[in-house]
């Protein structure tokens, strides 16, 4: 994937002093996830009711209901990493992916501010959304 600042030491991503990643690498992984139609659908679904009588499963990524055009990707928290989010949104045929790591609070506000900045300040010709094959 071209990750240059990531080392995974376990399959779940929970704290380990030898595990690390950068916001850039996390955004690349989010981009790769969104290229898979099944994973993109899962990451962008707010509520899912499996075939059971228990309550529906809820996506904890509040960006989906908070930011116009949000399409996912993933939130997280560990003691070492703090609050994290890889967020993505689409607007005017463009897809922007942002990553916030180490936040104490306001990951959704931080991700929204980054998305707003990127949509407002980047060239509209960069990276148009193309349908997956």
């Amino acid at each position: 994937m071209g990750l240059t600042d990531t080392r995974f030491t376990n399959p779940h991503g929970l704290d380990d002093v030898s595990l690390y990643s950068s916001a850039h690498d996390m955004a690349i992984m989010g981009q790769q996830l969104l290229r898979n139609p099944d994973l993109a659908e899962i990451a962008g679904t707010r509520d899912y009711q499996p075939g059971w009588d228990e309550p529906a499963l809820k996506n904890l990524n509040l960006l989906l209901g908070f930011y116009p055009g949000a399409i996912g990707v993933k939130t997280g928290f560990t003691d070492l990493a703090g609050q994290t989010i890889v967020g993505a949104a689409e607007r005017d045929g463009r897809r922007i992916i942002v990553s916030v790591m180490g936040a104490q609070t306001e990951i959704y506000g931080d991700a929204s501010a980054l998305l707003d900045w990127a949509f407002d300040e980047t060239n509209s010709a960069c990276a148009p959304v193309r349908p997956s094959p």
Side-chain angles (χ1 to χ4, degrees):
M1 280 193 252
L3 306 178
T4 59
D5 195 24
T6 294
R7 179 170 184 247
F8 291 116
T9 57
N10 59 50
H12 46 68
L14 297 179
D15 286 338
D16 181 318
V17 295
S18 299
L19 183 150
Y20 59 87
S21 190
S22 66
H24 180 258
D25 281 4
M26 294 304 287
I28 290 171
M29 287 185 269
Q31 179 184 41
Q32 293 298 319
L33 178 141
L34 291 171
R35 287 183 175 160
N36 179 307
D38 293 331
L39 294 177
E41 181 181 355
I42 291 167
T45 299
R46 291 177 68 185
D47 299 296
Y48 176 72
Q49 181 63 59
W52 62 28
D53 293 333
E54 300 297 321
L57 300 174
K58 304 265 185 214
N59 187 331
L60 298 178
N61 184 352
L62 301 180
L63 198 62
L64 291 170
F66 174 70
Y67 191 85
I71 58 171
V73 174
K74 169 110 177 63
T75 63
F77 172 82
T78 69
D79 289 335
L80 289 176
Q83 296 287 336
T84 65
I85 186 170
V86 176
E90 293 179 347
R91 185 184 301 163
D92 299 326
R94 297 171 59 213
R95 177 179 290 168
I96 303 288
I97 300 169
V98 300
S99 180
V100 176
M101 300 175 70
Q104 300 304 309
T105 61
E106 300 302 322
I107 60 169
Y108 302 107
D110 291 347
S112 295
L114 285 170
L115 287 165
D116 286 343
W117 174 86
F119 280 118
D120 291 344
E121 299 297 327
T122 58
N123 185 332
S124 62
C126 80
V129 176
R130 292 184 181 92
S132 298

PDB file of all heavy atoms in Angstrom, residues 8 12-17 19-23 26 75-85 99-105 107:
ATOM      1  N   PHE A   8       2.589  -2.791  12.374  1.00  0.00           N
ATOM      2  CA  PHE A   8       1.579  -3.509  13.141  1.00  0.00           C
ATOM      3  C   PHE A   8       2.234  -4.685  13.839  1.00  0.00           C
ATOM      4  O   PHE A   8       3.037  -5.395  13.245  1.00  0.00           O
ATOM      5  CB  PHE A   8       0.450  -4.003  12.239  1.00  0.00           C
ATOM      6  CG  PHE A   8      -0.401  -2.894  11.692  1.00  0.00           C
ATOM      7  CD1 PHE A   8      -0.449  -2.651  10.329  1.00  0.00           C
ATOM      8  CD2 PHE A   8      -1.137  -2.090  12.538  1.00  0.00           C
ATOM      9  CE1 PHE A   8      -1.231  -1.628   9.823  1.00  0.00           C
ATOM     10  CE2 PHE A   8      -1.920  -1.055  12.044  1.00  0.00           C
ATOM     11  CZ  PHE A   8      -1.961  -0.836  10.681  1.00  0.00           C
ATOM     12  N   HIS A  12      -5.333  -6.653  15.901  1.00  0.00           N
ATOM     13  CA  HIS A  12      -6.467  -5.856  16.344  1.00  0.00           C
ATOM     14  C   HIS A  12      -6.153  -4.372  16.519  1.00  0.00           C
ATOM     15  O   HIS A  12      -7.050  -3.557  16.660  1.00  0.00           O
ATOM     16  CB  HIS A  12      -7.054  -6.415  17.646  1.00  0.00           C
ATOM     17  CG  HIS A  12      -6.032  -6.759  18.677  1.00  0.00           C
ATOM     18  ND1 HIS A  12      -5.270  -5.815  19.325  1.00  0.00           N
ATOM     19  CD2 HIS A  12      -5.643  -7.965  19.140  1.00  0.00           C
ATOM     20  CE1 HIS A  12      -4.448  -6.414  20.159  1.00  0.00           C
ATOM     21  NE2 HIS A  12      -4.650  -7.726  20.063  1.00  0.00           N
ATOM     22  N   GLY A  13      -4.896  -3.989  16.545  1.00  0.00           N
ATOM     23  CA  GLY A  13      -4.537  -2.582  16.643  1.00  0.00           C
ATOM     24  C   GLY A  13      -4.588  -1.995  18.035  1.00  0.00           C
ATOM     25  O   GLY A  13      -4.414  -0.790  18.197  1.00  0.00           O
ATOM     26  N   LEU A  14      -4.823  -2.819  19.043  1.00  0.00           N
ATOM     27  CA  LEU A  14      -4.835  -2.306  20.407  1.00  0.00           C
ATOM     28  C   LEU A  14      -3.405  -2.024  20.855  1.00  0.00           C
ATOM     29  O   LEU A  14      -2.436  -2.491  20.258  1.00  0.00           O
ATOM     30  CB  LEU A  14      -5.540  -3.286  21.336  1.00  0.00           C
ATOM     31  CG  LEU A  14      -7.023  -3.520  21.014  1.00  0.00           C
ATOM     32  CD1 LEU A  14      -7.629  -4.535  21.975  1.00  0.00           C
ATOM     33  CD2 LEU A  14      -7.810  -2.226  21.039  1.00  0.00           C
ATOM     34  N   ASP A  15      -3.283  -1.239  21.907  1.00  0.00           N
ATOM     35  CA  ASP A  15      -1.993  -0.722  22.342  1.00  0.00           C
ATOM     36  C   ASP A  15      -0.906  -1.796  22.452  1.00  0.00           C
ATOM     37  O   ASP A  15      -1.118  -2.876  22.998  1.00  0.00           O
ATOM     38  CB  ASP A  15      -2.127  -0.028  23.696  1.00  0.00           C
ATOM     39  CG  ASP A  15      -2.816   1.318  23.580  1.00  0.00           C
ATOM     40  OD1 ASP A  15      -2.812   1.903  22.476  1.00  0.00           O
ATOM     41  OD2 ASP A  15      -3.349   1.794  24.598  1.00  0.00           O
ATOM     42  N   ASP A  16       0.220  -1.450  21.903  1.00  0.00           N
ATOM     43  CA  ASP A  16       1.458  -2.205  22.006  1.00  0.00           C
ATOM     44  C   ASP A  16       2.558  -1.179  21.764  1.00  0.00           C
ATOM     45  O   ASP A  16       2.488  -0.419  20.799  1.00  0.00           O
ATOM     46  CB  ASP A  16       1.501  -3.306  20.948  1.00  0.00           C
ATOM     47  CG  ASP A  16       2.770  -4.147  21.010  1.00  0.00           C
ATOM     48  OD1 ASP A  16       3.870  -3.578  21.189  1.00  0.00           O
ATOM     49  OD2 ASP A  16       2.674  -5.370  20.865  1.00  0.00           O
ATOM     50  N   VAL A  17       3.559  -1.137  22.620  1.00  0.00           N
ATOM     51  CA  VAL A  17       4.583  -0.099  22.508  1.00  0.00           C
ATOM     52  C   VAL A  17       5.341  -0.161  21.187  1.00  0.00           C
ATOM     53  O   VAL A  17       5.928   0.829  20.760  1.00  0.00           O
ATOM     54  CB  VAL A  17       5.574  -0.135  23.695  1.00  0.00           C
ATOM     55  CG1 VAL A  17       4.867   0.205  24.992  1.00  0.00           C
ATOM     56  CG2 VAL A  17       6.262  -1.496  23.789  1.00  0.00           C
ATOM     57  N   LEU A  19       3.817  -0.929  18.241  1.00  0.00           N
ATOM     58  CA  LEU A  19       2.870  -0.653  17.163  1.00  0.00           C
ATOM     59  C   LEU A  19       2.796   0.850  16.944  1.00  0.00           C
ATOM     60  O   LEU A  19       2.699   1.605  17.902  1.00  0.00           O
ATOM     61  CB  LEU A  19       1.494  -1.206  17.541  1.00  0.00           C
ATOM     62  CG  LEU A  19       0.381  -1.080  16.519  1.00  0.00           C
ATOM     63  CD1 LEU A  19      -0.601  -2.223  16.683  1.00  0.00           C
ATOM     64  CD2 LEU A  19      -0.344   0.238  16.610  1.00  0.00           C
ATOM     65  N   TYR A  20       2.851   1.282  15.690  1.00  0.00           N
ATOM     66  CA  TYR A  20       2.719   2.709  15.407  1.00  0.00           C
ATOM     67  C   TYR A  20       2.211   2.919  13.994  1.00  0.00           C
ATOM     68  O   TYR A  20       2.293   2.029  13.145  1.00  0.00           O
ATOM     69  CB  TYR A  20       4.046   3.451  15.600  1.00  0.00           C
ATOM     70  CG  TYR A  20       5.166   2.948  14.731  1.00  0.00           C
ATOM     71  CD1 TYR A  20       5.356   3.446  13.445  1.00  0.00           C
ATOM     72  CD2 TYR A  20       6.046   1.978  15.204  1.00  0.00           C
ATOM     73  CE1 TYR A  20       6.392   2.986  12.644  1.00  0.00           C
ATOM     74  CE2 TYR A  20       7.076   1.509  14.414  1.00  0.00           C
ATOM     75  CZ  TYR A  20       7.246   2.020  13.135  1.00  0.00           C
ATOM     76  OH  TYR A  20       8.268   1.553  12.351  1.00  0.00           O
ATOM     77  N   SER A  21       1.672   4.089  13.756  1.00  0.00           N
ATOM     78  CA  SER A  21       1.264   4.497  12.421  1.00  0.00           C
ATOM     79  C   SER A  21       1.181   6.011  12.394  1.00  0.00           C
ATOM     80  O   SER A  21       1.120   6.663  13.440  1.00  0.00           O
ATOM     81  CB  SER A  21      -0.084   3.883  12.030  1.00  0.00           C
ATOM     82  OG  SER A  21      -0.342   4.121  10.656  1.00  0.00           O
ATOM     83  N   SER A  22       1.147   6.565  11.205  1.00  0.00           N
ATOM     84  CA  SER A  22       0.998   8.008  11.037  1.00  0.00           C
ATOM     85  C   SER A  22      -0.398   8.317  10.503  1.00  0.00           C
ATOM     86  O   SER A  22      -1.074   7.442   9.946  1.00  0.00           O
ATOM     87  CB  SER A  22       2.041   8.531  10.049  1.00  0.00           C
ATOM     88  OG  SER A  22       1.783   8.010   8.747  1.00  0.00           O
ATOM     89  N   ALA A  23      -0.809   9.561  10.650  1.00  0.00           N
ATOM     90  CA  ALA A  23      -2.101   9.983  10.105  1.00  0.00           C
ATOM     91  C   ALA A  23      -2.126   9.782   8.591  1.00  0.00           C
ATOM     92  O   ALA A  23      -3.141   9.368   8.026  1.00  0.00           O
ATOM     93  CB  ALA A  23      -2.373  11.441  10.469  1.00  0.00           C
ATOM     94  N   MET A  26      -2.664   6.125   7.854  1.00  0.00           N
ATOM     95  CA  MET A  26      -4.044   5.747   8.166  1.00  0.00           C
ATOM     96  C   MET A  26      -5.003   6.227   7.063  1.00  0.00           C
ATOM     97  O   MET A  26      -5.946   5.519   6.695  1.00  0.00           O
ATOM     98  CB  MET A  26      -4.464   6.306   9.526  1.00  0.00           C
ATOM     99  CG  MET A  26      -3.699   5.709  10.694  1.00  0.00           C
ATOM    100  SD  MET A  26      -3.795   3.903  10.805  1.00  0.00           S
ATOM    101  CE  MET A  26      -5.464   3.705  11.362  1.00  0.00           C
ATOM    102  N   THR A  75     -13.543   5.035  13.292  1.00  0.00           N
ATOM    103  CA  THR A  75     -13.124   5.721  14.512  1.00  0.00           C
ATOM    104  C   THR A  75     -12.354   4.732  15.376  1.00  0.00           C
ATOM    105  O   THR A  75     -12.399   3.523  15.152  1.00  0.00           O
ATOM    106  CB  THR A  75     -14.325   6.237  15.322  1.00  0.00           C
ATOM    107  OG1 THR A  75     -15.115   5.119  15.734  1.00  0.00           O
ATOM    108  CG2 THR A  75     -15.163   7.202  14.501  1.00  0.00           C
ATOM    109  N   GLY A  76     -11.668   5.255  16.374  1.00  0.00           N
ATOM    110  CA  GLY A  76     -10.961   4.367  17.284  1.00  0.00           C
ATOM    111  C   GLY A  76     -10.546   5.094  18.541  1.00  0.00           C
ATOM    112  O   GLY A  76     -10.599   6.316  18.628  1.00  0.00           O
ATOM    113  N   PHE A  77     -10.148   4.313  19.523  1.00  0.00           N
ATOM    114  CA  PHE A  77      -9.621   4.852  20.769  1.00  0.00           C
ATOM    115  C   PHE A  77      -8.780   3.783  21.434  1.00  0.00           C
ATOM    116  O   PHE A  77      -9.176   2.620  21.531  1.00  0.00           O
ATOM    117  CB  PHE A  77     -10.732   5.268  21.737  1.00  0.00           C
ATOM    118  CG  PHE A  77     -10.178   5.641  23.089  1.00  0.00           C
ATOM    119  CD1 PHE A  77      -9.663   6.903  23.306  1.00  0.00           C
ATOM    120  CD2 PHE A  77     -10.103   4.705  24.110  1.00  0.00           C
ATOM    121  CE1 PHE A  77      -9.102   7.241  24.536  1.00  0.00           C
ATOM    122  CE2 PHE A  77      -9.553   5.029  25.339  1.00  0.00           C
ATOM    123  CZ  PHE A  77      -9.046   6.303  25.553  1.00  0.00           C
ATOM    124  N   THR A  78      -7.610   4.176  21.882  1.00  0.00           N
ATOM    125  CA  THR A  78      -6.826   3.392  22.833  1.00  0.00           C
ATOM    126  C   THR A  78      -6.180   4.388  23.779  1.00  0.00           C
ATOM    127  O   THR A  78      -6.115   5.592  23.483  1.00  0.00           O
ATOM    128  CB  THR A  78      -5.722   2.525  22.163  1.00  0.00           C
ATOM    129  OG1 THR A  78      -4.715   3.376  21.635  1.00  0.00           O
ATOM    130  CG2 THR A  78      -6.281   1.611  21.084  1.00  0.00           C
ATOM    131  N   ASP A  79      -5.697   3.913  24.904  1.00  0.00           N
ATOM    132  CA  ASP A  79      -5.051   4.808  25.859  1.00  0.00           C
ATOM    133  C   ASP A  79      -3.849   5.519  25.239  1.00  0.00           C
ATOM    134  O   ASP A  79      -3.651   6.711  25.451  1.00  0.00           O
ATOM    135  CB  ASP A  79      -4.617   4.042  27.107  1.00  0.00           C
ATOM    136  CG  ASP A  79      -5.809   3.605  27.961  1.00  0.00           C
ATOM    137  OD1 ASP A  79      -6.867   4.256  27.876  1.00  0.00           O
ATOM    138  OD2 ASP A  79      -5.669   2.620  28.705  1.00  0.00           O
ATOM    139  N   LEU A  80      -3.049   4.794  24.459  1.00  0.00           N
ATOM    140  CA  LEU A  80      -1.862   5.406  23.855  1.00  0.00           C
ATOM    141  C   LEU A  80      -2.203   6.314  22.677  1.00  0.00           C
ATOM    142  O   LEU A  80      -1.600   7.366  22.500  1.00  0.00           O
ATOM    143  CB  LEU A  80      -0.868   4.331  23.402  1.00  0.00           C
ATOM    144  CG  LEU A  80      -0.124   3.581  24.495  1.00  0.00           C
ATOM    145  CD1 LEU A  80       0.746   2.483  23.898  1.00  0.00           C
ATOM    146  CD2 LEU A  80       0.721   4.530  25.332  1.00  0.00           C
ATOM    147  N   ALA A  81      -3.167   5.916  21.859  1.00  0.00           N
ATOM    148  CA  ALA A  81      -3.497   6.682  20.644  1.00  0.00           C
ATOM    149  C   ALA A  81      -4.465   7.828  20.910  1.00  0.00           C
ATOM    150  O   ALA A  81      -4.505   8.784  20.152  1.00  0.00           O
ATOM    151  CB  ALA A  81      -4.090   5.752  19.586  1.00  0.00           C
ATOM    152  N   GLY A  82      -5.247   7.735  21.962  1.00  0.00           N
ATOM    153  CA  GLY A  82      -6.300   8.722  22.187  1.00  0.00           C
ATOM    154  C   GLY A  82      -7.444   8.510  21.200  1.00  0.00           C
ATOM    155  O   GLY A  82      -7.592   7.432  20.627  1.00  0.00           O
ATOM    156  N   GLN A  83      -8.247   9.531  20.996  1.00  0.00           N
ATOM    157  CA  GLN A  83      -9.352   9.464  20.039  1.00  0.00           C
ATOM    158  C   GLN A  83      -8.787   9.573  18.625  1.00  0.00           C
ATOM    159  O   GLN A  83      -7.941  10.429  18.356  1.00  0.00           O
ATOM    160  CB  GLN A  83     -10.340  10.611  20.274  1.00  0.00           C
ATOM    161  CG  GLN A  83     -11.036  10.568  21.605  1.00  0.00           C
ATOM    162  CD  GLN A  83     -12.074   9.470  21.673  1.00  0.00           C
ATOM    163  OE1 GLN A  83     -12.603   9.006  20.667  1.00  0.00           O
ATOM    164  NE2 GLN A  83     -12.375   9.041  22.888  1.00  0.00           N
ATOM    165  N   THR A  84      -9.250   8.720  17.727  1.00  0.00           N
ATOM    166  CA  THR A  84      -8.787   8.756  16.347  1.00  0.00           C
ATOM    167  C   THR A  84      -9.964   8.626  15.395  1.00  0.00           C
ATOM    168  O   THR A  84     -11.003   8.076  15.752  1.00  0.00           O
ATOM    169  CB  THR A  84      -7.787   7.618  16.044  1.00  0.00           C
ATOM    170  OG1 THR A  84      -8.471   6.369  16.154  1.00  0.00           O
ATOM    171  CG2 THR A  84      -6.607   7.645  16.996  1.00  0.00           C
ATOM    172  N   ILE A  85      -9.777   9.144  14.194  1.00  0.00           N
ATOM    173  CA  ILE A  85     -10.771   8.968  13.150  1.00  0.00           C
ATOM    174  C   ILE A  85     -10.091   9.064  11.791  1.00  0.00           C
ATOM    175  O   ILE A  85      -9.175   9.867  11.601  1.00  0.00           O
ATOM    176  CB  ILE A  85     -11.919  10.006  13.242  1.00  0.00           C
ATOM    177  CG1 ILE A  85     -13.026   9.693  12.231  1.00  0.00           C
ATOM    178  CG2 ILE A  85     -11.398  11.415  13.073  1.00  0.00           C
ATOM    179  CD1 ILE A  85     -14.300  10.502  12.412  1.00  0.00           C
ATOM    180  N   SER A  99      -7.482  12.277   8.380  1.00  0.00           N
ATOM    181  CA  SER A  99      -7.153  11.443   9.531  1.00  0.00           C
ATOM    182  C   SER A  99      -6.781  12.339  10.694  1.00  0.00           C
ATOM    183  O   SER A  99      -5.982  13.263  10.539  1.00  0.00           O
ATOM    184  CB  SER A  99      -5.985  10.520   9.173  1.00  0.00           C
ATOM    185  OG  SER A  99      -5.648   9.693  10.260  1.00  0.00           O
ATOM    186  N   VAL A 100      -7.387  12.070  11.846  1.00  0.00           N
ATOM    187  CA  VAL A 100      -7.076  12.792  13.083  1.00  0.00           C
ATOM    188  C   VAL A 100      -6.645  11.742  14.100  1.00  0.00           C
ATOM    189  O   VAL A 100      -7.345  10.753  14.310  1.00  0.00           O
ATOM    190  CB  VAL A 100      -8.303  13.565  13.619  1.00  0.00           C
ATOM    191  CG1 VAL A 100      -7.984  14.217  14.952  1.00  0.00           C
ATOM    192  CG2 VAL A 100      -8.788  14.580  12.597  1.00  0.00           C
ATOM    193  N   MET A 101      -5.510  11.981  14.721  1.00  0.00           N
ATOM    194  CA  MET A 101      -4.995  11.037  15.710  1.00  0.00           C
ATOM    195  C   MET A 101      -4.600  11.787  16.971  1.00  0.00           C
ATOM    196  O   MET A 101      -4.183  12.943  16.917  1.00  0.00           O
ATOM    197  CB  MET A 101      -3.790  10.291  15.148  1.00  0.00           C
ATOM    198  CG  MET A 101      -4.119   9.502  13.882  1.00  0.00           C
ATOM    199  SD  MET A 101      -2.677   8.737  13.133  1.00  0.00           S
ATOM    200  CE  MET A 101      -2.326   7.461  14.341  1.00  0.00           C
ATOM    201  N   GLY A 102      -4.736  11.125  18.097  1.00  0.00           N
ATOM    202  CA  GLY A 102      -4.278  11.687  19.356  1.00  0.00           C
ATOM    203  C   GLY A 102      -5.155  12.782  19.922  1.00  0.00           C
ATOM    204  O   GLY A 102      -4.717  13.537  20.776  1.00  0.00           O
ATOM    205  N   ALA A 103      -6.382  12.871  19.469  1.00  0.00           N
ATOM    206  CA  ALA A 103      -7.270  13.924  19.961  1.00  0.00           C
ATOM    207  C   ALA A 103      -7.747  13.588  21.374  1.00  0.00           C
ATOM    208  O   ALA A 103      -7.990  12.432  21.695  1.00  0.00           O
ATOM    209  CB  ALA A 103      -8.473  14.075  19.038  1.00  0.00           C
ATOM    210  N   GLN A 104      -7.860  14.593  22.183  1.00  0.00           N
ATOM    211  CA  GLN A 104      -8.431  14.408  23.521  1.00  0.00           C
ATOM    212  C   GLN A 104      -9.951  14.514  23.464  1.00  0.00           C
ATOM    213  O   GLN A 104     -10.649  13.849  24.204  1.00  0.00           O
ATOM    214  CB  GLN A 104      -7.848  15.443  24.487  1.00  0.00           C
ATOM    215  CG  GLN A 104      -6.343  15.354  24.633  1.00  0.00           C
ATOM    216  CD  GLN A 104      -5.876  13.979  25.060  1.00  0.00           C
ATOM    217  OE1 GLN A 104      -6.362  13.421  26.023  1.00  0.00           O
ATOM    218  NE2 GLN A 104      -4.921  13.431  24.328  1.00  0.00           N
ATOM    219  N   THR A 105     -10.445  15.401  22.623  1.00  0.00           N
ATOM    220  CA  THR A 105     -11.883  15.599  22.407  1.00  0.00           C
ATOM    221  C   THR A 105     -12.075  16.098  20.980  1.00  0.00           C
ATOM    222  O   THR A 105     -11.109  16.395  20.275  1.00  0.00           O
ATOM    223  CB  THR A 105     -12.463  16.653  23.373  1.00  0.00           C
ATOM    224  OG1 THR A 105     -11.800  17.889  23.139  1.00  0.00           O
ATOM    225  CG2 THR A 105     -12.309  16.246  24.818  1.00  0.00           C
ATOM    226  N   ILE A 107     -12.993  14.921  17.990  1.00  0.00           N
ATOM    227  CA  ILE A 107     -12.493  14.329  16.748  1.00  0.00           C
ATOM    228  C   ILE A 107     -13.409  14.658  15.577  1.00  0.00           C
ATOM    229  O   ILE A 107     -12.932  14.845  14.466  1.00  0.00           O
ATOM    230  CB  ILE A 107     -12.271  12.801  16.847  1.00  0.00           C
ATOM    231  CG1 ILE A 107     -13.551  12.054  17.195  1.00  0.00           C
ATOM    232  CG2 ILE A 107     -11.143  12.470  17.779  1.00  0.00           C
ATOM    233  CD1 ILE A 107     -13.439  10.551  17.037  1.00  0.00           C
TER     234      ILE A 107
END
